[in-house]
Amino acid sequence: MAHTAHVRVPSGPPPLPIIGWRGNLLQFFQDPIAYMTQLAREHGLVAAFTKGGNGNLAFSKPELKPS
């Protein structure tokens, strides 16, 4: 019998119109501290860079990062 794990996908901001998740990544590179602060404030200590995006996650506390 196969066991399936339930994985909670972290929330994140929606992708930007037209350019999608790349626009969110662009916002990060323009001001990384502001982007990470906003992610933590709006989406929690573990957040996706983009909701339904490319799999990039932000960890606001180093001890939360998976090993």
Side-chain angles (χ1 to χ4, degrees):
M1 174 184 281
H3 295 279
T4 57
H6 293 279
V7 178
R8 183 176 168 262
V9 178
S11 70
L16 294 179
I18 300 174
I19 58 176
W21 65 265
R22 290 169 188 83
N24 297 54
L25 204 55
L26 236 171
Q27 287 179 332
F28 168 76
F29 284 118
Q30 287 175 343
D31 191 345
I33 293 173
Y35 193 80
M36 296 293 285
T37 301
Q38 182 178 354
L39 272 182
R41 187 180 322 114
E42 295 179 5
H43 301 284
L45 297 176
V46 177
F49 268 62
T50 307
K51 181 178 181 179
N54 62 355
N56 290 323
L57 298 176
F59 295 89
S60 296
K61 287 190 171 185
E63 61 268 20
L64 296 175
K65 183 179 177 195
S67 53

